[in-house]
PDB file of all heavy atoms in Angstrom:
ATOM      1  N   ASN H 181       6.360 -33.187  15.358  1.00 84.00           N
ATOM      2  CA  ASN H 181       6.528 -31.777  15.176  1.00 84.00           C
ATOM      3  C   ASN H 181       5.167 -31.038  15.261  1.00 84.00           C
ATOM      4  O   ASN H 181       5.133 -29.942  15.893  1.00 84.00           O
ATOM      5  CB  ASN H 181       7.113 -31.521  13.749  1.00 84.00           C
ATOM      6  CG  ASN H 181       7.453 -30.092  13.436  1.00 84.00           C
ATOM      7  OD1 ASN H 181       7.967 -29.401  14.308  1.00 84.00           O
ATOM      8  ND2 ASN H 181       7.031 -29.577  12.324  1.00 84.00           N
ATOM      9  N   GLN H 182       4.103 -31.554  14.701  1.00 86.00           N
ATOM     10  CA  GLN H 182       2.777 -30.912  14.776  1.00 86.00           C
ATOM     11  C   GLN H 182       2.368 -30.882  16.187  1.00 86.00           C
ATOM     12  O   GLN H 182       1.789 -29.862  16.690  1.00 86.00           O
ATOM     13  CB  GLN H 182       1.817 -31.762  13.925  1.00 86.00           C
ATOM     14  CG  GLN H 182       1.932 -31.694  12.478  1.00 86.00           C
ATOM     15  CD  GLN H 182       0.947 -32.494  11.681  1.00 86.00           C
ATOM     16  OE1 GLN H 182       0.264 -33.380  12.290  1.00 86.00           O
ATOM     17  NE2 GLN H 182       0.859 -32.194  10.409  1.00 86.00           N
ATOM     18  N   LEU H 204      -7.936 -23.978  29.021  1.00 95.00           N
ATOM     19  CA  LEU H 204      -7.781 -23.392  27.654  1.00 95.00           C
ATOM     20  C   LEU H 204      -8.035 -24.412  26.559  1.00 95.00           C
ATOM     21  O   LEU H 204      -8.793 -24.239  25.645  1.00 95.00           O
ATOM     22  CB  LEU H 204      -6.449 -22.796  27.595  1.00 95.00           C
ATOM     23  CG  LEU H 204      -6.069 -22.150  26.141  1.00 95.00           C
ATOM     24  CD1 LEU H 204      -6.961 -20.917  25.889  1.00 95.00           C
ATOM     25  CD2 LEU H 204      -4.614 -21.762  26.067  1.00 95.00           C
ATOM     26  N   GLY H 211     -15.518 -24.795  22.190  1.00 95.00           N
ATOM     27  CA  GLY H 211     -15.789 -23.796  21.231  1.00 95.00           C
ATOM     28  C   GLY H 211     -15.983 -24.311  19.803  1.00 95.00           C
ATOM     29  O   GLY H 211     -16.981 -23.851  19.087  1.00 95.00           O
ATOM     30  N   GLY H 215     -19.292 -23.747  17.438  1.00 95.00           N
ATOM     31  CA  GLY H 215     -19.218 -22.889  16.291  1.00 95.00           C
ATOM     32  C   GLY H 215     -18.263 -21.659  16.523  1.00 95.00           C
ATOM     33  O   GLY H 215     -18.321 -20.656  15.811  1.00 95.00           O
ATOM     34  N   GLU H 219      -9.143 -19.326  17.175  1.00 94.00           N
ATOM     35  CA  GLU H 219      -8.690 -17.932  17.111  1.00 94.00           C
ATOM     36  C   GLU H 219      -9.554 -16.998  17.850  1.00 94.00           C
ATOM     37  O   GLU H 219      -9.081 -16.150  18.629  1.00 94.00           O
ATOM     38  CB  GLU H 219      -8.421 -17.532  15.663  1.00 94.00           C
ATOM     39  CG  GLU H 219      -7.899 -16.120  15.482  1.00 94.00           C
ATOM     40  CD  GLU H 219      -7.827 -15.780  13.957  1.00 94.00           C
ATOM     41  OE1 GLU H 219      -8.201 -16.620  13.101  1.00 94.00           O
ATOM     42  OE2 GLU H 219      -7.280 -14.646  13.727  1.00 94.00           O
ATOM     43  N   MET H 221     -11.672 -17.700  20.125  1.00 94.00           N
ATOM     44  CA  MET H 221     -11.723 -18.046  21.636  1.00 94.00           C
ATOM     45  C   MET H 221     -10.496 -17.401  22.275  1.00 94.00           C
ATOM     46  O   MET H 221     -10.584 -16.814  23.348  1.00 94.00           O
ATOM     47  CB  MET H 221     -11.700 -19.537  21.737  1.00 94.00           C
ATOM     48  CG  MET H 221     -11.820 -20.020  23.275  1.00 94.00           C
ATOM     49  SD  MET H 221     -13.493 -19.695  23.917  1.00 94.00           S
ATOM     50  CE  MET H 221     -14.390 -20.940  23.111  1.00 94.00           C
ATOM     51  N   THR H 227      -8.840 -10.530  25.690  1.00 94.00           N
ATOM     52  CA  THR H 227      -9.545  -9.367  25.989  1.00 94.00           C
ATOM     53  C   THR H 227     -10.178  -9.409  27.398  1.00 94.00           C
ATOM     54  O   THR H 227     -10.074  -8.469  28.147  1.00 94.00           O
ATOM     55  CB  THR H 227     -10.672  -9.074  24.948  1.00 94.00           C
ATOM     56  OG1 THR H 227     -10.069  -8.983  23.666  1.00 94.00           O
ATOM     57  CG2 THR H 227     -11.386  -7.741  25.279  1.00 94.00           C
ATOM     58  N   ARG H 230      -7.502  -9.126  30.252  1.00 92.00           N
ATOM     59  CA  ARG H 230      -7.117  -7.759  30.522  1.00 92.00           C
ATOM     60  C   ARG H 230      -8.158  -7.008  31.325  1.00 92.00           C
ATOM     61  O   ARG H 230      -7.928  -6.226  32.236  1.00 92.00           O
ATOM     62  CB  ARG H 230      -6.807  -7.005  29.249  1.00 92.00           C
ATOM     63  CG  ARG H 230      -5.511  -7.439  28.486  1.00 92.00           C
ATOM     64  CD  ARG H 230      -5.097  -6.472  27.423  1.00 92.00           C
ATOM     65  NE  ARG H 230      -6.140  -6.305  26.532  1.00 92.00           N
ATOM     66  CZ  ARG H 230      -6.211  -6.957  25.340  1.00 92.00           C
ATOM     67  NH1 ARG H 230      -5.250  -7.921  24.996  1.00 92.00           N
ATOM     68  NH2 ARG H 230      -7.203  -6.726  24.398  1.00 92.00           N
ATOM     69  N   LEU H 232     -10.598  -8.181  33.185  1.00 93.00           N
ATOM     70  CA  LEU H 232     -10.754  -8.718  34.499  1.00 93.00           C
ATOM     71  C   LEU H 232      -9.626  -8.233  35.465  1.00 93.00           C
ATOM     72  O   LEU H 232      -9.900  -7.922  36.685  1.00 93.00           O
ATOM     73  CB  LEU H 232     -10.734 -10.251  34.526  1.00 93.00           C
ATOM     74  CG  LEU H 232     -11.042 -11.005  35.824  1.00 93.00           C
ATOM     75  CD1 LEU H 232     -12.443 -10.647  36.289  1.00 93.00           C
ATOM     76  CD2 LEU H 232     -10.851 -12.418  35.617  1.00 93.00           C
ATOM     77  N   PRO H 241     -12.207  -0.255  30.503  1.00 93.00           N
ATOM     78  CA  PRO H 241     -13.500  -0.260  29.741  1.00 93.00           C
ATOM     79  C   PRO H 241     -14.459  -1.237  30.416  1.00 93.00           C
ATOM     80  O   PRO H 241     -15.720  -0.907  30.491  1.00 93.00           O
ATOM     81  CB  PRO H 241     -13.075  -0.770  28.338  1.00 93.00           C
ATOM     82  CG  PRO H 241     -11.642  -0.357  28.186  1.00 93.00           C
ATOM     83  CD  PRO H 241     -11.088  -0.530  29.565  1.00 93.00           C
ATOM     84  N   LEU H 253     -22.806  -7.632  39.041  1.00 95.00           N
ATOM     85  CA  LEU H 253     -21.843  -8.434  38.353  1.00 95.00           C
ATOM     86  C   LEU H 253     -20.450  -7.946  38.554  1.00 95.00           C
ATOM     87  O   LEU H 253     -19.499  -8.733  38.717  1.00 95.00           O
ATOM     88  CB  LEU H 253     -22.208  -8.531  36.897  1.00 95.00           C
ATOM     89  CG  LEU H 253     -21.205  -9.281  35.974  1.00 95.00           C
ATOM     90  CD1 LEU H 253     -21.035 -10.689  36.499  1.00 95.00           C
ATOM     91  CD2 LEU H 253     -21.668  -9.236  34.504  1.00 95.00           C
ATOM     92  N   GLU H 255     -19.271  -6.334  41.160  1.00 95.00           N
ATOM     93  CA  GLU H 255     -18.815  -6.690  42.527  1.00 95.00           C
ATOM     94  C   GLU H 255     -18.510  -8.263  42.595  1.00 95.00           C
ATOM     95  O   GLU H 255     -17.554  -8.655  43.288  1.00 95.00           O
ATOM     96  CB  GLU H 255     -19.912  -6.354  43.564  1.00 95.00           C
ATOM     97  CG  GLU H 255     -20.111  -4.856  43.707  1.00 95.00           C
ATOM     98  CD  GLU H 255     -18.809  -4.090  44.044  1.00 95.00           C
ATOM     99  OE1 GLU H 255     -18.025  -4.629  44.906  1.00 95.00           O
ATOM    100  OE2 GLU H 255     -18.579  -3.029  43.436  1.00 95.00           O
ATOM    101  N   GLU H 278     -31.396 -10.075  30.279  1.00 90.00           N
ATOM    102  CA  GLU H 278     -32.805  -9.830  29.783  1.00 90.00           C
ATOM    103  C   GLU H 278     -32.866  -9.342  28.357  1.00 90.00           C
ATOM    104  O   GLU H 278     -32.704  -8.171  28.077  1.00 90.00           O
ATOM    105  CB  GLU H 278     -33.542  -8.862  30.719  1.00 90.00           C
ATOM    106  CG  GLU H 278     -33.650  -9.296  32.140  1.00 90.00           C
ATOM    107  CD  GLU H 278     -34.288  -8.198  33.020  1.00 90.00           C
ATOM    108  OE1 GLU H 278     -34.612  -7.170  32.506  1.00 90.00           O
ATOM    109  OE2 GLU H 278     -34.529  -8.557  34.209  1.00 90.00           O
ATOM    110  N   ALA H 289     -18.693  -5.896  25.972  1.00 95.00           N
ATOM    111  CA  ALA H 289     -17.964  -5.247  27.031  1.00 95.00           C
ATOM    112  C   ALA H 289     -16.777  -6.134  27.510  1.00 95.00           C
ATOM    113  O   ALA H 289     -15.673  -5.603  27.799  1.00 95.00           O
ATOM    114  CB  ALA H 289     -18.887  -4.885  28.224  1.00 95.00           C
ATOM    115  N   MET H 298     -18.782 -15.381  21.475  1.00 94.00           N
ATOM    116  CA  MET H 298     -18.966 -15.839  22.824  1.00 94.00           C
ATOM    117  C   MET H 298     -20.389 -16.014  23.234  1.00 94.00           C
ATOM    118  O   MET H 298     -20.689 -16.793  24.179  1.00 94.00           O
ATOM    119  CB  MET H 298     -18.161 -14.945  23.797  1.00 94.00           C
ATOM    120  CG  MET H 298     -16.645 -14.890  23.566  1.00 94.00           C
ATOM    121  SD  MET H 298     -15.873 -16.508  23.302  1.00 94.00           S
ATOM    122  CE  MET H 298     -16.104 -17.151  24.937  1.00 94.00           C
ATOM    123  N   ALA H 316     -13.557 -33.494  26.176  1.00 96.00           N
ATOM    124  CA  ALA H 316     -12.153 -33.259  25.712  1.00 96.00           C
ATOM    125  C   ALA H 316     -11.137 -34.032  26.555  1.00 96.00           C
ATOM    126  O   ALA H 316     -10.154 -34.592  25.947  1.00 96.00           O
ATOM    127  CB  ALA H 316     -11.840 -31.755  25.863  1.00 96.00           C
ATOM    128  N   ILE H 321      -7.375 -35.405  24.346  1.00 93.00           N
ATOM    129  CA  ILE H 321      -6.800 -34.348  23.552  1.00 93.00           C
ATOM    130  C   ILE H 321      -6.291 -33.142  24.403  1.00 93.00           C
ATOM    131  O   ILE H 321      -5.795 -32.168  23.805  1.00 93.00           O
ATOM    132  CB  ILE H 321      -7.780 -33.795  22.498  1.00 93.00           C
ATOM    133  CG1 ILE H 321      -8.987 -33.211  23.206  1.00 93.00           C
ATOM    134  CG2 ILE H 321      -8.173 -34.937  21.548  1.00 93.00           C
ATOM    135  CD1 ILE H 321      -9.985 -32.549  22.200  1.00 93.00           C
ATOM    136  N   MET H 364      32.784 -11.230 -10.257  1.00 86.00           N
ATOM    137  CA  MET H 364      31.883 -10.392 -10.959  1.00 86.00           C
ATOM    138  C   MET H 364      32.671  -9.196 -11.586  1.00 86.00           C
ATOM    139  O   MET H 364      32.369  -8.746 -12.743  1.00 86.00           O
ATOM    140  CB  MET H 364      30.705  -9.996 -10.113  1.00 86.00           C
ATOM    141  CG  MET H 364      29.695 -11.111  -9.843  1.00 86.00           C
ATOM    142  SD  MET H 364      28.179 -10.539  -9.064  1.00 86.00           S
ATOM    143  CE  MET H 364      28.793  -9.829  -7.530  1.00 86.00           C
ATOM    144  N   GLN H 375      34.581  -6.102 -25.956  1.00 85.00           N
ATOM    145  CA  GLN H 375      33.285  -5.930 -26.605  1.00 85.00           C
ATOM    146  C   GLN H 375      33.362  -6.176 -28.103  1.00 85.00           C
ATOM    147  O   GLN H 375      32.525  -6.856 -28.677  1.00 85.00           O
ATOM    148  CB  GLN H 375      32.794  -4.518 -26.428  1.00 85.00           C
ATOM    149  CG  GLN H 375      32.250  -4.242 -24.998  1.00 85.00           C
ATOM    150  CD  GLN H 375      31.622  -2.961 -24.815  1.00 85.00           C
ATOM    151  OE1 GLN H 375      31.579  -2.103 -25.756  1.00 85.00           O
ATOM    152  NE2 GLN H 375      31.226  -2.594 -23.607  1.00 85.00           N
ATOM    153  N   GLU H 395      20.075 -24.510 -44.770  1.00 77.00           N
ATOM    154  CA  GLU H 395      20.391 -25.835 -45.371  1.00 77.00           C
ATOM    155  C   GLU H 395      19.302 -26.900 -44.891  1.00 77.00           C
ATOM    156  O   GLU H 395      18.983 -27.805 -45.694  1.00 77.00           O
ATOM    157  CB  GLU H 395      21.807 -26.238 -44.873  1.00 77.00           C
ATOM    158  CG  GLU H 395      22.911 -25.447 -45.503  1.00 77.00           C
ATOM    159  CD  GLU H 395      24.255 -25.880 -44.926  1.00 77.00           C
ATOM    160  OE1 GLU H 395      24.336 -26.748 -44.103  1.00 77.00           O
ATOM    161  OE2 GLU H 395      25.308 -25.293 -45.458  1.00 77.00           O
ATOM    162  N   VAL H 415       1.383 -46.281 -46.786  1.00 65.00           N
ATOM    163  CA  VAL H 415       0.583 -46.522 -45.571  1.00 65.00           C
ATOM    164  C   VAL H 415      -0.840 -46.921 -45.965  1.00 65.00           C
ATOM    165  O   VAL H 415      -1.458 -47.818 -45.311  1.00 65.00           O
ATOM    166  CB  VAL H 415       0.588 -45.291 -44.674  1.00 65.00           C
ATOM    167  CG1 VAL H 415      -0.386 -45.449 -43.561  1.00 65.00           C
ATOM    168  CG2 VAL H 415       1.952 -44.971 -44.174  1.00 65.00           C
TER     169      VAL H 415
END
Side-chain angles (χ1 to χ4, degrees):
N181 186 44
Q182 291 179 343
L204 179 63
E219 182 181 3
M221 187 69 74
T227 302
R230 289 196 301 267
L232 186 63
L253 175 58
E255 294 304 316
E278 298 179 356
M298 299 311 291
I321 60 174
M364 290 189 295
Q375 287 184 1
E395 291 176 357
V415 172

